[in-house]
Amino acid sequence: MLKTVVSGLKPTGELHIGNYLGAVKQLVELQKKNLRRLYFIADYHSLTIPYSPKEKRGEIMGMAIDAMAAGLDPKKSIIFLQSHVPAHNNLAWILSTLTSTGQLNRMVEYKEKVQEGRVPNAGLFGYPILMAADVLIYDADFVPVGEDQRQHLELTRDIAQLFNKRFGKTLTEPEALHNQTPRIMSLNDPKKKMSKSIPAGCLFLSDPPDIVHRKIASAQTDSHKTIGYDPRKRPGVSNLLSIYSGISGRPINELVKKFRNSGYAEFKKALAEEIIKFLKPIQQRRKKLLQNKAGVMRTLEAGTKTANRIAEKKLADVKRAAGLI
Ligand code: TYM
C-alpha cells in the first residue's frame, strides 16, 4: 500500500512566497516519489474570515491556478476542492465530539486571529477539527505544511489517538513534514510571519518584475554594515537570505560568504533578480492556465470525483467504528 500525502491551500488571496517555500515546494518535490498525493483547495476553511461571495469563486479558481502554475500536477496528484467532498465535514462533526473546547482554546492561530480583532465565529474556533478531518479521511501518513500549522497537526494526532482508543484502531496518525524554510516572515515587518492578511509584506507569485524590485528594495533590514544570518537578532536580512536560499537551492552560509562585503542595495538587487528568474516560468504557466479556466475546472472535477470515492469509503469505516452503521 502506497503511503499517502495530504495538504491544503486556503483560497484567501493569492499564493505568496511564504506558502511556496513553507509548503508548495515540498508538495511539488514529493511528486517525484512513489506516493499517493491528495492536494486540495481549502475553500471551507477560507469562509472563516469575512468574504464576498462574488469574489470567492474567483479566489478558489485563482488558488487552483496558482497551485498548478507553481508545479502541482494533476497527472501526478489528485487535486480537488474541499467543499465538494462532503465526507470531510461529516468526519469533522464526529471528531468535534472528541475534541475539548479547552484544546481549541489553546490553538495559537485562533488566539492570534482574535488578538488581531477578528470577531471569532464558531467556524474559526473549530477550524483545526475540519483540518484534522481533511487529513484523517485519507489516512494521510505525511502532511507537508509550514511551521504555523504544526500545532494543528499535533491536535490532529491527538484526536486520531483518542478516536482509536475509544472505538478501535481506525484512523492513521499523520506526521507533519516541515522543510528548511518553514516560516517566511513579512517583508515589511519581519517579526511577523508573511501572511495574506498583511498583503503589503507579501511577495506574491504573480508579482511582476518592477513590483518584485520595489518590494525587495523596501524590505525591512537593519543598520549593520554586512550581510549576516541571525534570525533572532537580524530577522529582516535573515528572512531575505532564507528566501534567496529557498528559491535558488544555495545554502545560506554560501550566500552569506558571497554577499559578506556587499551593501544591502547590491544584495537586494541580486535577490530581486533571482526571484524574477524563479517566478518567470510560474507566471508563464499561470498565464496559460488563466486562459483555460474551463480546463482547470475539469481537472478539479476529476480530482474531486476520485477524492470522493476514497473519502466515502473511509467515512463508512469511521461510522461503523463509531456505531452509526
Ligand atoms: P494557508 O493557505 O494559509 O497556507 C498554505 C500553506 O502555506 C504555509 N504557510 C507558510 N509557510 C511558511 N511561511 C509562511 N509565512 C507561511 N504562510 C503560510 C502554511 O503552513 C500552509 O502549509 N490551514 C491550512 C490549510 C489547510 C490544510 C488542511 C493544510 C486546511 N486543511 C489540511 C494541511 C492539511 C492553511 O492555513 O493554509
Side-chain angles (χ1 to χ4, degrees):
M1 179 78 176
L2 282 184
K3 295 267 185 196
T4 298
V5 185
V6 174
S7 198
L9 303 166
K10 207 165 44 191
T12 42
E14 292 181 11
L15 210 59
H16 57 66
I17 200 87
N19 300 135
Y20 181 83
L21 292 176
V24 177
K25 187 177 164 198
Q26 278 204 88
L27 305 186
V28 175
E29 277 163 6
L30 287 168
Q31 292 182 142
K32 292 190 198 125
K33 300 210 167 142
N34 196 20
L35 295 160
R36 180 173 73 159
R37 286 162 291 265
L38 294 116
Y39 299 151
F40 62 93
I41 307 302
D43 47 357
Y44 267 155
H45 276 111
S46 77
L47 306 187
T48 56
I49 54 170
Y51 66 97
S52 134
K54 263 203 208 123
E55 282 164 22
K56 188 48 71 189
R57 255 169 227 238
E59 280 185 310
I60 294 168
M61 176 52 84
M63 184 51 68
I65 287 177
D66 278 2
M68 288 186 212
L72 300 199
D73 180 354
K75 289 201 195 83
K76 296 184 182 140
S77 306
I78 302 164
I79 304 177
F80 65 99
L81 302 179
Q82 177 195 39
S83 73
H84 292 210
V85 184
H88 287 225
N89 262 289
N90 288 339
L91 177 58
W93 177 257
I94 297 173
L95 301 182
S96 76
T97 65
L98 298 172
T99 313
S100 72
T101 53
Q103 280 173 303
L104 294 176
N105 261 323
R106 283 195 289 278
M107 293 296 117
V108 173
E109 211 177 55
Y110 173 71
K111 288 197 276 192
E112 277 173 2
K113 289 253 157 53
V114 175
Q115 268 162 17
E116 279 168 21
R118 293 217 184 279
V119 180
N121 56 60
L124 191 65
F125 191 54
Y127 184 115
I129 302 176
L130 179 56
M131 216 177 130
D134 293 337
V135 167
L136 299 175
I137 197 79
Y138 300 107
D139 282 317
D141 297 284
F142 306 112
V143 185
V145 279
E147 159 75 32
D148 58 347
Q149 300 302 312
R150 187 188 292 268
Q151 198 187 21
H152 290 165
L153 259 296
E154 278 163 16
L155 179 68
T156 302
R157 291 170 65 90
D158 289 346
I159 297 174
Q161 260 171 31
L162 183 59
F163 186 101
N164 290 341
K165 211 165 125 203
R166 278 220 193 137
F167 305 119
K169 172 104 185 71
T170 313
L171 301 174
T172 304
E173 279 179 49
E175 193 187 312
L177 292 185
H178 302 294
N179 64 13
Q180 276 157 345
T181 44
R183 193 171 178 84
I184 296 296
M185 309 310 281
S186 171
L187 295 178
N188 60 3
D189 184 358
K191 291 219 162 69
K192 291 196 178 133
K193 88 172 176 190
M194 184 179 285
S195 152
K196 292 163 217 162
S197 58
I198 333 173
C202 282
L203 191 79
F204 294 104
L205 298 193
S206 63
D207 281 342
D210 55 326
I211 302 281
V212 173
H213 273 295
R214 207 180 66 212
K215 284 186 178 173
I216 296 298
S218 61
Q220 205 188 95
T221 43
D222 52 41
S223 52
H224 287 251
K225 295 237 160 23
T226 55
I227 306 293
Y229 184 76
D230 183 343
R232 214 168 47 84
K233 293 198 187 120
R234 305 183 62 185
V237 63
S238 302
N239 189 42
L240 296 182
L241 281 162
S242 295
I243 295 176
Y244 204 141
S245 170
I247 59 168
S248 67
R250 293 164 73 174
I252 288 185
N253 56 8
E254 187 190 305
L255 294 171
V256 170
K257 230 187 246 167
K258 179 172 157 69
F259 290 103
R260 185 169 289 146
N261 299 315
S262 316
Y264 275 124
E266 194 183 329
F267 168 65
K268 284 177 159 181
K269 189 161 173 276
L271 170 58
E273 271 154 22
E274 190 73 28
I275 293 171
I276 292 164
K277 191 169 88 190
F278 161 77
L279 291 180
K280 199 170 168 200
I282 295 180
Q283 294 179 349
Q284 281 167 346
R285 281 196 293 271
R286 187 171 183 271
K287 207 168 147 197
K288 275 205 187 134
L289 289 163
L290 277 168
Q291 286 159 356
N292 182 22
K293 286 189 183 161
V296 174
M297 205 57 221
R298 278 196 299 277
T299 299
L300 293 173
E301 276 163 12
T304 300
K305 212 163 155 191
T306 312
N308 262 310
R309 210 180 52 234
I310 305 170
E312 280 302 326
K313 200 161 159 280
K314 187 72 197 180
L315 183 65
D317 293 345
V318 169
K319 281 183 157 179
R320 223 169 282 123
L324 293 164
I325 51 175

